[in-house]
């Protein structure tokens, strides 16, 4: 089992950047694939990015490629999401998720979730 705590959200102007962090508890962090999802008001939770246990493979939502970068540091039990060129439509609660072997990129493919961190992008 793993517990996840996100941080780094906040208010930023359009065009700005933020880096989100997700700290995981437990000794088996390196055995988990990690993902970032987001949920805007009135919308379903959607996939943002994921990274394999080793960090060797990364996947992104097509609409976010080139602006967002996922990375992890297994020595620090932490996964990151660097977000650049932010837009007002990026405003959402961002969630970190973990699973040993997710079959896809849907929220139901991940077993463990953090509480989320709010990102607000002003125009």
């Amino acid at each position: 089992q793993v517990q996840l705590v996100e941080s780094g959200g906040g208010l930023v102007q359009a065009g700005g950047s933020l880096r989100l962090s997700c700290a995981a508890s437990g000794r088996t962090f390196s055995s988990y694939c990690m993902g970032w999802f987001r949920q805007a008001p009135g919308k379903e939770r959607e996939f943002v990015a994921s990274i394999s246990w080793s960090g060797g493979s990364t996947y992104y939502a097509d609409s976010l490629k080139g602006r967002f970068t996922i990375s992890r540091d297994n020595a620090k039990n932490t996964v990151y999401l660097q977000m650049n060129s932010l837009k007002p439509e990026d405003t959402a609660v961002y969630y970190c998720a973990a699973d040993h072997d997710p079959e896809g990129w849907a929220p139901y493919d991940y077993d463990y979730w953090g509480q989320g961190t709010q990102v607000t992008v002003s125009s």
Side-chain angles (χ1 to χ4, degrees):
Q1 194 169 5
V2 62
Q3 294 182 330
L4 307 171
V5 178
E6 302 96 334
S7 61
L11 175 64
V12 64
Q13 288 189 334
S17 298
L18 279 176
R19 188 177 81 154
L20 306 183
S21 299
C22 173
S25 65
R27 301 178 180 178
T28 60
F29 173 74
S30 60
S31 69
Y32 287 91
C33 296
M34 301 298 296
W36 285 98
F37 291 77
R38 68 184 184 183
Q39 188 166 17
K43 295 187 177 181
E44 294 185 352
R45 193 169 298 189
E46 65 175 358
F47 172 78
V48 173
S50 65
I51 188 166
S52 61
W53 64 270
S54 68
S57 297
T58 56
Y59 305 90
Y60 297 92
D62 287 343
S63 62
L64 301 176
K65 288 180 181 177
R67 293 197 299 123
F68 288 16
T69 303
I70 189 171
S71 61
R72 68 189 296 164
D73 185 338
N74 286 343
K76 295 182 178 180
N77 280 14
T78 302
V79 62
Y80 305 97
L81 184 68
Q82 177 68 42
M83 305 185 294
N84 298 328
S85 302
L86 283 163
K87 305 175 182 180
E89 51 263 44
D90 294 319
T91 295
V93 177
Y94 283 71
Y95 296 90
C96 173
D99 196 272
H100 280 301
D101 187 19
E103 296 184 356
W105 296 277
Y108 57 73
D109 290 314
Y110 286 78
D111 285 337
Y112 304 103
W113 291 84
Q115 82 290 348
T117 185
Q118 177 70 48
V119 171
T120 302
V121 184
S122 63
S123 57

